[in-house]
Amino acid sequence: MKFKALTAAVALFAAPMAFAGGADDDNLVINGDLEITTKAAAPQHLDGVLDEVISGWHFRSDETQALEMDDFDNPGMIFVDQAVDQWNTAEGSEGKSCADCHGAPEDMAGVKAVYPKWNEAAGEVRTLQMQMNDCRTNRMGADAWKYDAGDAINMVALMSSVSRGMPVNVATDGPAAELWQKGKDLYYTRTGQLELSCANCHEDNYGNYIRADHLSQGQINGFPAYRLKNAKLNGVHSRFKGCVRDTRAETYSPGSEEFIALELYVASRGNGLSVEGPSVRN
Amino acid sequence: MASGVKPRVKVPKKAAAGDVITIKSLISHKMESGQRKDGSGNLIPRSIINRFTCDFNGQNVIDVTLEPAISTNPYFEFEAQVPEAGEFKFTWYDDDGDVYEETKSIAV
């Protein structure tokens, strides 16, 4: 009898825990005045799939959430500062810096919100990093940055930081539609020995536990994300790679066409959420 | 000088006399412990911030010794009582002899 009573008590305490992984109701305000939309009605193409899109911020603990609410506490802002220095540094055979053509970083507000984006002249969908490297190789005469590495990801963080609060608005129609469809197919394709698709975790099971952690919707409005686990900024493609690897599959490479397609599609799933990067996550 | 070192401090601009304020400080620094090896097996020499101090109008507020186990970009948050208007002076001492300074004044 005693044993039964004990297990009943344990079950009682354990029961609320099972539901503790969902999105909370906190509000994200950065520096006390910048309000971030972290929950929004799902974009039309998600009809019947999701009612609401939710930023990954809601799935983190209060302590981690707090780090993002003040730029001084946000370790990602250190890298933004480094990118500001880079922004003003002339490089390459043309002796130009980003600032020479684009002015202040703040003048680029809104750019991050619409990428990945179709580039008419190149006839391809480009991520922000591809566009930066186009600038570097063609206009500055400098070496291209390695995908998702140091300088490149810092610069994405800077572009993101000046667009914070603006709604993500990635175009899914027109010439981008073909690649968007490819990204959507990838999202629902099971990979690896575990045979998991993105949707199995981030659509069917967000808010539930995956081992000791909470599953988010896998939104990328907060990228680049400063992750406490590796104490650096992480790019979207690197995160995709980590996820695909966790399904025990051979991964695509950051910068590959597959990940560009997936970034386009996943970004569009967050249309309506605010640009939030650099965010702070586990 | 170690590369990419940048001190930053956050101090309220104003306080009432006798108020206890919160001060946050962070310096970007790689804090190389001296125990890691590079790709070819050679020891990477130690390079850390070994001391951090804060003074208010010449009076010491905090004096910290840092050890190699402290991770990248050391962050300190502490409280101080402000008896009068004045200036906080923050100093970081690097292993290589460099000293980084930052000052913030506060009105009462």
Side-chain angles (χ1 to χ4, degrees):
Chain A
M1 276 311 279
K2 228 177 176 181
F3 175 71
K4 261 191 183 164
L6 194 68
T7 42
V10 168
L12 205 66
F13 282 115
M17 291 289 288
F19 306 105
D24 62 16
D25 293 323
D26 296 342
N27 289 316
L28 176 53
V29 180
I30 295 176
N31 297 332
D33 58 5
L34 180 60
E35 286 185 26
I36 302 287
T37 305
T38 49
K39 288 182 182 178
Q44 210 172 9
H45 67 84
L46 290 178
D47 269 357
V49 177
L50 292 175
D51 296 329
E52 190 179 36
V53 286
I54 306 167
S55 162
W57 184 80
H58 282 288
F59 297 88
R60 303 278 67 97
S61 68
D62 287 347
E63 295 84 354
T64 309
Q65 287 182 338
L67 285 172
E68 200 179 312
M69 298 173 83
D70 183 319
D71 278 354
F72 196 90
D73 293 338
N74 184 342
M77 294 308 284
I78 292 171
F79 302 96
V80 170
D81 275 357
Q82 290 173 4
V84 172
D85 294 340
Q86 183 69 42
W87 180 265
N88 294 311
T89 306
E91 268 192 283
S93 57
E94 305 301 312
K96 279 197 219 170
S97 70
C98 308
D100 287 334
C101 293
H102 296 293
E106 288 74 21
D107 295 341
M108 303 296 273
V111 172
K112 176 68 165 61
V114 296
Y115 270 85
K117 183 180 158 193
W118 176 259
N119 183 305
E120 193 58 54
E124 62 179 4
V125 172
R126 281 188 172 167
T127 62
L128 202 48
Q129 289 189 52
M130 292 162 77
Q131 194 57 45
M132 284 172 189
N133 274 339
D134 182 67
C135 258
R136 285 183 64 81
T137 50
N138 293 331
R139 289 161 87 173
M140 294 166 72
D143 291 335
W145 281 327
K146 190 169 173 279
Y147 212 91
D148 269 1
D151 287 328
I153 204 68
N154 291 356
M155 194 57 79
V156 178
L158 173 61
M159 293 296 95
S160 181
S161 72
V162 296
S163 295
R164 280 184 299 182
M166 297 178 170
V168 174
N169 185 17
V170 172
T172 61
D173 51 1
E178 191 188 336
L179 198 71
W180 182 84
Q181 185 59 45
K182 186 178 176 187
K184 184 175 179 180
D185 293 344
L186 275 169
Y187 192 89
Y188 289 101
T189 303
R190 289 172 181 263
T191 63
Q193 291 176 321
L194 296 182
E195 292 191 68
L196 289 169
S197 73
C198 309
N200 292 140
C201 287
H202 296 290
E203 189 173 286
D204 304 339
N205 279 300
Y206 69 87
N208 290 335
Y209 276 93
I210 183 164
R211 292 171 58 171
D213 203 356
H214 314 281
L215 274 169
S216 73
Q217 284 188 348
Q219 297 290 352
I220 57 171
N221 62 311
F223 275 81
Y226 179 90
R227 297 192 70 189
L228 302 171
K229 69 176 271 187
N230 60 12
K232 68 183 184 73
L233 286 178
N234 294 261
V236 173
H237 289 199
S238 306
R239 191 68 195 86
F240 288 162
K241 187 179 169 184
C243 256
V244 175
R245 181 204 58 211
D246 289 348
T247 71
R248 300 188 190 162
E250 286 284 339
T251 68
Y252 306 108
S253 308
S256 64
E257 195 194 314
E258 287 84 359
F259 277 167
I260 296 165
L262 193 56
E263 179 178 351
L264 175 64
Y265 176 68
V266 177
S268 79
R269 287 175 73 98
N271 275 353
L273 292 171
S274 292
V275 174
E276 196 188 305
S279 62
V280 184
R281 301 286 187 261
N282 287 11
Chain B
M1 176 175 158
S3 63
V5 179
K6 187 173 170 190
R8 15 184 143 216
V9 200
K10 190 172 179 182
V11 178
K13 289 193 176 60
K14 264 187 79 164
D19 263 6
V20 174
I21 59 161
T22 301
I23 297 172
K24 296 173 176 180
S25 83
L26 187 152
I27 186 162
S28 46
H29 193 283
K30 59 181 170 8
M31 297 291 279
E32 188 60 58
S33 71
Q35 306 200 27
R36 299 197 307 159
K37 288 173 178 168
D38 63 16
S40 40
N42 303 313
L43 216 53
I44 305 171
R46 177 182 130 158
S47 167
I48 67 167
I49 301 278
N50 56 44
R51 186 178 172 213
F52 167 68
T53 63
C54 171
D55 297 282
F56 182 70
N57 290 348
Q59 191 195 351
N60 185 253
V61 178
I62 189 170
D63 189 338
V64 185
T65 305
L66 285 82
E67 302 289 349
I70 293 174
S71 55
T72 328
N73 306 334
Y75 172 95
F76 289 104
E77 180 176 328
F78 52 95
E79 293 181 335
Q81 195 172 30
V82 188
E84 62 202 16
E87 192 176 66
F88 281 101
K89 184 178 170 197
F90 305 87
T91 320
W92 292 262
Y93 298 83
D94 198 317
D95 267 352
D96 59 16
D98 280 331
V99 175
Y100 315 104
E101 284 180 356
E102 180 85 13
T103 55
K104 289 275 175 188
S105 27
I106 185 163
V108 172

